[in-house]
Amino acid sequence: MKTNDYIKYVTQQFVSYVDTSSEERKAQKEERKANKLPFTYRWFGLIPFAIIQAFNVNRKKSK
């Protein structure tokens, strides 16, 4: 990517950011947070997530 292309891209992103209202930005941020995967799944994969889910199922069955 050439320098001019990069500057054009950054400028477009900045202008689109400035054009959106603060309420829209906050709503987008909350939506991203809601769609984010749990920490253990993101960093360590599926195995810790599966173990946690198994413990939760066993805990619910025992109640």
Side-chain angles (χ1 to χ4, degrees), residues 3-56:
T3 306
N4 289 340
D5 294 336
Y6 182 70
I7 291 172
K8 183 179 178 182
Y9 171 76
V10 170
T11 306
Q12 287 173 346
Q13 293 298 314
F14 179 74
V15 169
S16 67
Y17 177 80
V18 171
D19 285 342
T20 58
S21 66
S22 62
E23 292 84 21
E24 288 180 49
R25 288 193 300 264
K26 287 180 184 178
Q28 289 173 351
K29 184 176 181 181
E30 291 297 323
E31 184 179 333
R32 282 193 307 269
K33 280 186 178 181
N35 292 334
K36 189 185 286 188
L37 296 172
F39 173 77
T40 55
Y41 185 74
R42 283 186 289 140
W43 280 89
F44 303 112
L46 189 59
I47 294 171
F49 184 72
I51 293 170
I52 291 170
Q53 292 300 319
F55 281 123
N56 287 341

